[in-house]
Amino acid sequence: MDIDKAFYKNLFKNLFMDPCLVEFWDGDAELYGKGEAKFNIILHEPIPKSEIIRDASLAFGEAYMDGRIEIEGSVRDVIESLYNNHDSFLHQNPPYLRLAKFMTNGVKKSRENVQYHYDIGNDFYRLWLDETMTYSCAYFKSPEDSLIQAQKNKIELILRKLNLQEGQRLLDIGCGWGELILTAAQKYRVKATGITLSEEQYDKVQNRIDQENLKDLVDVHLLDYRELKEQTFDRVVSVGMLEHVGKEHLGEYFATVERMLGSNGISLLHTITGRDERGTNSWINKYIFPGGYIPTVSELIRHMEACGLYFYDAESLRNHYTRTLEHWADNFEQALPQIREGKDETFIRMWRLYLNSAAASFHSGNIDLHQLLFSKGPNNQLSWTRDYMYQ
């Protein structure tokens, strides 16, 4: 047995929680675990041991992207089996990444990071998101809800939690393609402002404001939330944006929200949360969300209270995000003929791995999604029960 194969055979011994068949580059195959293989992993060539030792997550992710590794069966099952084994490499960040998560996300760097992911093109996202172009966790009142219905449910749930009143001013930090601010203006007659760092999103929102004749109630700006000066709002919401802020800027985020909220103003934060402070994954950080950091709930509450904000409510939507990602992954596969017209196979495999690994991560409980409600000052006008959120 050559040295490379001996290294791999030892590596795969205790890697997965489910039985799997590994086929090596020379045609040899070995079954790991007891019972019928749940999936097959085919290694067309060895990955340098130095790359695996330095950063296994990045090494295997890149090998899948460029076709050195093939998976027969579900990509999600493979990743989830790794996550379910708490001794696997997916639960261990390399030392260099533990240092990198403290790198600063200033205004310029934040703009670059956001545009890297969101300015791939509206045409690309339109192929696999729902018709509202909502790119965040949906809310399934029933598991049978369609994706578009679940996204509308989510928007309505957020707006109810904010307890909106006609004529109030609402700010959406990281407004995406605008569904929330447009819905808020139409249904609650509030004056809604959206901000984004994505030029593609900004253009789309501008077009929607014009098409839906909402110029009197809705505006959008292409800028960083820290650049919005001398304005106050009754309500501030942020959906799927905080993950881009970075660990060392969490306090700055809450201090900025506190500054922008009027007296007794209410804010809702909808964000992915972690179980510990590892914060990110090296492959995700390099190829999907550069500069990202996933905070814990306790971190967020500490920062809120340090800024004098009052914390009211938290709700986990972890299972809802698993179902959302299942829809996105299915839509992505169905749209492959159109995607291949403008993207190469490496890009396609990268996004397949991202969507399926995210679904696996939520389903296994490795990460979560929370909505956190808080206010500036003790808001005594909020209902004493949660009934108003679900009427």
Side-chain angles (χ1 to χ4, degrees):
M1 182 186 299
D2 64 58
I3 295 175
D4 281 332
K5 191 183 291 183
F7 171 79
Y8 272 96
K9 288 199 170 187
N10 185 61
L11 177 69
F12 281 106
K13 272 183 182 178
N14 301 303
L15 200 55
F16 299 101
M17 290 298 290
D18 302 285
C20 70
L21 182 70
V22 178
E23 299 181 28
F24 294 94
W25 48 90
D26 61 358
D28 188 19
E30 186 159 339
L31 177 67
Y32 293 90
K34 297 180 180 180
E36 184 179 353
K38 190 171 184 178
F39 44 80
N40 296 356
I41 297 175
I42 303 169
L43 301 172
H44 291 302
E45 61 182 80
I47 306 168
K49 295 193 293 292
S50 60
E51 293 182 11
I52 295 175
I53 292 170
R54 180 174 186 267
D55 189 339
S57 179
L58 186 61
F60 279 104
E62 291 180 336
Y64 177 78
M65 284 168 58
D66 61 29
R68 286 177 287 157
I69 291 178
E70 294 288 350
I71 293 172
E72 291 183 349
S74 166
V75 174
R76 173 179 162 181
D77 285 347
V78 173
I79 304 300
E80 193 158 339
S81 190
L82 282 167
Y83 274 126
N84 287 335
N85 177 6
H86 291 277
D87 294 323
S88 80
F89 61 79
L90 285 184
H91 292 280
Q92 301 168 11
N93 279 343
Y96 77 87
L97 190 64
R98 290 198 290 271
L99 295 174
K101 71 184 181 184
F102 293 99
M103 293 175 64
T104 184
N105 279 340
V107 173
K108 181 176 183 294
K109 188 63 176 176
S110 293
R111 182 173 286 108
E112 291 173 357
N113 290 340
V114 167
Q115 291 176 351
Y116 174 87
H117 186 84
Y118 294 96
D119 284 351
I120 294 172
N122 289 344
D123 290 342
F124 168 68
Y125 286 104
R126 191 177 293 111
L127 290 172
W128 54 274
L129 295 178
D130 68 289
E131 293 90 326
T132 69
M133 295 282 283
T134 303
Y135 187 24
S136 55
C137 174
Y139 183 72
F140 294 84
K141 292 184 178 180
S142 162
E144 286 72 44
D145 280 348
S146 66
L147 180 58
I148 185 171
Q149 182 59 56
Q151 291 292 10
K152 289 180 178 294
N153 293 345
K154 185 268 300 294
I155 297 293
E156 184 58 33
L157 176 64
I158 289 173
L159 298 181
R160 284 180 178 170
K161 285 185 176 184
L162 286 169
N163 196 28
L164 290 175
Q165 307 297 319
E166 184 174 343
Q168 288 182 333
R169 295 197 67 200
L170 168 69
L171 173 66
D172 185 356
I173 301 175
C175 65
W177 285 277
E179 184 68 15
L180 188 148
I181 53 176
L182 292 164
T183 302
Q186 290 167 333
K187 296 191 71 171
Y188 292 87
R189 309 308 294 174
V190 298
K191 294 184 177 180
T193 295
I195 55 175
T196 178
L197 291 174
S198 166
E199 293 182 3
E200 293 270 345
Q201 291 180 343
Y202 172 79
D203 291 341
K204 176 67 175 178
V205 178
Q206 286 281 30
N207 289 336
R208 291 190 66 184
I209 292 170
D210 292 339
Q211 291 170 0
E212 299 180 34
N213 297 314
L214 288 171
K215 285 184 178 181
D216 291 341
L217 290 176
V218 183
D219 62 347
V220 63
H221 304 280
L222 185 65
L223 48 74
D224 188 282
Y225 72 99
R226 292 164 289 193
E227 298 175 308
L228 193 63
K229 306 292 186 182
E230 299 177 358
Q231 292 193 55
T232 58
F233 299 87
D234 302 291
R235 303 289 186 264
V236 174
V237 64
S238 183
V239 180
M241 174 271 180
L242 192 79
E243 299 91 328
H244 301 285
V245 164
K247 183 178 178 68
E248 72 168 20
H249 291 279
L250 291 175
E252 182 181 27
Y253 171 85
F254 287 105
T256 303
V257 171
E258 194 276 340
R259 171 177 59 80
M260 292 189 294
L261 278 173
S263 179
N264 296 320
I266 298 171
S267 182
L268 183 139
L269 177 64
H270 172 117
T271 184
I272 298 172
T273 54
R275 299 285 299 170
D276 52 44
E277 295 189 21
R278 283 180 298 122
T280 188
N281 166 278
S282 52
W283 182 82
I284 292 286
N285 187 67
K286 181 174 181 179
Y287 289 100
I288 307 298
F289 292 117
Y293 175 76
I294 297 174
T296 64
V297 172
S298 59
E299 274 185 285
L300 298 175
I301 295 175
R302 286 200 306 270
H303 284 295
M304 284 181 202
E305 293 180 341
C307 293
L309 295 162
Y310 285 70
F311 170 62
Y312 281 99
D313 188 80
E315 182 175 9
S316 168
L317 300 185
R318 181 177 61 83
N319 289 328
H320 296 266
Y321 217 161
T322 302
R323 181 57 56 88
T324 304
L325 283 153
E326 290 170 350
H327 278 281
W328 289 346
D330 288 344
N331 291 347
F332 183 85
E333 296 298 331
Q334 293 174 24
L336 283 182
Q338 298 97 309
I339 294 172
R340 284 195 169 103
E341 292 176 6
K343 307 296 182 184
D344 63 20
E345 204 62 27
T346 299
F347 177 93
I348 288 169
R349 291 168 74 95
M350 177 178 74
W351 273 81
R352 177 183 293 130
L353 182 58
Y354 157 54
L355 293 172
N356 283 277
S357 63
S361 198
F362 282 103
H363 191 251
S364 67
N366 180 58
I367 54 177
D368 209 317
L369 185 289
H370 280 87
Q371 290 184 349
L372 305 172
L373 191 69
F374 54 99
S375 72
K376 180 174 182 174
N379 189 312
N380 294 321
Q381 282 70 53
L382 275 175
S383 172
W384 289 16
T385 72
R386 300 172 98 234
D387 293 346
Y388 77 100
M389 300 180 184
Y390 301 105
Q391 291 172 352

